[in-house]
Amino acid sequence: MTALLRRTVDLFAMLAGVILLIIVLVTVTNTGAFILDRIAGFFGANVAGLPGYEDFVQLAISGAALMFFPFCQANRGHVAVELFMQQLPKSVQTAADKAWLTLTALVGAFLVYWMVFGMMEARDDGAVTAVLGWPVWPFYAPGIVAMALWALVAVAQLFGDLSDA
């Protein structure tokens, strides 16, 4: 795998981690507002939660979750049946690995293709979030890039050293 692709995958995973951290901070803030609202209720007051909290979390997690796929693939962190595969001859292990890498690359490309159409449809339909009214289509972009990176990592592994991590 090339160093540039590796750095891009690492950067993408770090960005996804930052997004998850922001989601956690927003969730903690919203939970704190809920608790403060319960306490304030005893005094006849109220504390509002964050408007559109659910909209933000839904959009942010939809991209962040997919942004970890390339990193996972690059580190061979996917599910594998090691106990079974270790008993097979090396040639069978290599053939199975190449078959799964090919399938992974095809699935990533398939998802990119259909996610682009989904993004264009969301844009053309003017789909917006329920509370904040944010357009939904831009939030497809991180997922599309992530799926393309996932496919690229699988292709790099397919044509490179199968043991690279």
Side-chain angles (χ1 to χ4, degrees), residues 140-163:
Y140 277 71
I144 291 169
V145 174
M147 294 298 96
L149 277 173
W150 185 34
L152 283 173
V153 169
V155 168
Q157 289 173 333
L158 181 63
F159 292 108
D161 179 13
L162 290 177
S163 65

Side-chain angles (χ1 to χ4, degrees), residues 25-112:
L25 293 174
V26 168
T27 301
V28 167
T29 302
N30 203 48
T31 303
F34 175 76
I35 293 168
L36 288 175
D37 185 49
R38 295 295 180 192
I39 295 169
F42 291 122
F43 303 101
N46 66 359
V47 176
L50 298 174
Y53 161 76
E54 295 86 357
D55 288 355
F56 167 74
V57 171
Q58 178 185 11
L59 292 174
I61 198 67
S62 67
L66 296 178
M67 291 169 73
F68 285 111
F69 276 52
F71 180 80
C72 186
Q73 180 67 42
N75 289 291
R76 300 296 187 132
H78 46 75
V79 176
V81 187
E82 294 294 330
L83 295 175
F84 174 73
M85 290 301 291
Q86 288 175 350
Q87 304 308 319
L88 298 175
K90 184 68 174 165
S91 60
V92 174
Q93 291 177 24
T94 301
D97 198 26
K98 285 186 178 204
W100 282 115
L101 287 170
T102 301
L103 182 62
T104 298
L106 290 173
V107 166
F110 176 82
L111 290 172
V112 166

